[in-house]
Amino acid sequence: MTTTPATIPFEHREDVERLWSYHNMGHELRPADVGIGLGSHDLGVAKIATELYFKKMYPWLVFTGANAPTTIERFPRGEAIHYREYAIDNGVPADSILVETEARNTSQNIEYTRAILKDHEIQANSIILMSRPYQQRRAYATCKKIWPKIDVICIALPISLEEYVANIGDSRKVIDMIVGDTQRIEVYAKLGFAISQHIPEDVKAAFSRLIEAGYTSRLI
């Protein structure tokens, strides 16, 4: 399979687009008590969190995340710390931001954020949960398992698949991550880490074809 690093192979484009669309929850944005940015390699999470703060979508912003093998080089001080620095550099008041620096998976992101909010006596009945575009569905399913009574809106930086791949600069990495997140929707529900989510047959078929094409590095 030959391709430039930032170009999706033509023969797989439709299948990747199908998975990309599946993970977009399509939630309607509305104000919430707290915004939560899930740490990752993607600075777009900090960008959308900052934008929504200035749109008065929430008075409190929490960034959560330690490091993963895919982020240690990009964010050596930790995902949440780098996100906080971005937000402050772009005008968000430091005293409106809380950071959680220990979480190493999405379940811990939610669990540890709840604990920090409790420690700061911040009552949260509703949250805006911000993630990578293709992590929205898994973030939602995990949040509703860990925090079932919360009113959660899942949002990502509005961006096309092509733009996202160009920004990351590595189409294989992005496709591998999307395929891996798709697998986790079913696997994590079976393991009790997340609530169950419907997976349409066309999504299952696209997922299987991408695995057959070799996009397997993020499978569990």
Side-chain angles (χ1 to χ4, degrees):
M1 180 167 46
T2 59
T3 179
T4 57
T7 303
I8 298 171
F10 175 79
E11 64 270 27
H12 303 311
R13 187 183 308 274
E14 184 176 349
D15 286 337
V16 179
E17 287 277 8
R18 196 173 304 278
L19 299 191
W20 178 265
S21 296
Y22 171 68
H23 289 288
N24 185 340
M25 296 297 291
H27 286 170
E28 181 179 351
L29 186 62
R30 61 184 184 276
D33 296 323
V34 178
I36 301 173
L38 301 181
S40 71
H41 64 269
D42 184 359
L43 194 60
V45 177
K47 292 179 180 178
I48 187 64
T50 298
E51 289 177 12
L52 295 185
Y53 177 85
F54 285 112
K55 291 181 179 179
K56 302 188 183 303
M57 287 294 110
Y58 37 72
W60 292 100
L61 178 55
V62 182
F63 290 124
T64 167
N67 271 122
T70 55
T71 66
I72 186 67
E73 185 174 337
R74 181 171 173 80
F75 298 134
R77 293 185 299 283
E79 298 156 3
I81 297 300
H82 281 267
Y83 282 9
R84 178 181 184 272
E85 290 170 352
Y86 175 91
I88 291 173
D89 287 346
N90 285 274
V92 178
D95 57 6
S96 294
I97 304 173
L98 303 175
V99 292
E100 183 291 303
T101 61
E102 301 298 324
R104 298 184 182 276
N105 57 57
T106 309
S107 293
Q108 290 178 354
N109 288 139
I110 304 302
E111 180 183 352
Y112 296 173
T113 294
R114 288 186 73 182
I116 280 183
L117 291 172
K118 183 178 180 180
D119 288 345
H120 286 78
E121 299 183 343
I122 298 172
Q123 179 67 37
N125 297 309
S126 59
I127 60 173
I128 295 176
L129 192 59
M130 293 157 285
S131 68
R132 296 163 291 182
Y134 56 84
Q135 191 188 359
Q136 292 177 69
R137 186 171 293 276
R138 179 164 64 87
Y140 174 81
T142 304
C143 183
K144 294 304 287 185
K145 181 70 176 184
I146 301 295
W147 201 350
K149 294 184 179 180
I150 196 70
D151 178 12
V152 56
I153 301 164
C154 288
I155 295 291
L157 185 71
I159 189 171
S160 71
L161 174 60
E162 291 291 343
E163 290 176 298
Y164 190 83
V165 170
N167 286 348
I168 298 299
D170 185 339
S171 65
R172 173 165 285 277
K173 177 180 180 178
V174 172
I175 299 171
D176 278 339
M177 297 286 278
I178 294 172
V179 170
D181 257 61
T182 305
Q183 182 200 35
R184 285 162 175 75
I185 295 297
E186 183 172 16
V187 171
Y188 282 3
K190 288 180 179 179
L191 292 173
F193 299 157
I195 65 168
S196 178
Q197 294 278 282
H198 174 65
I199 306 176
E201 290 302 318
D202 61 340
V203 172
K204 292 180 181 179
F207 169 72
S208 295
R209 286 190 292 267
L210 290 170
I211 289 176
E212 291 172 5
Y215 295 103
T216 58
S217 74
R218 292 291 296 168
L219 295 181
I220 54 177

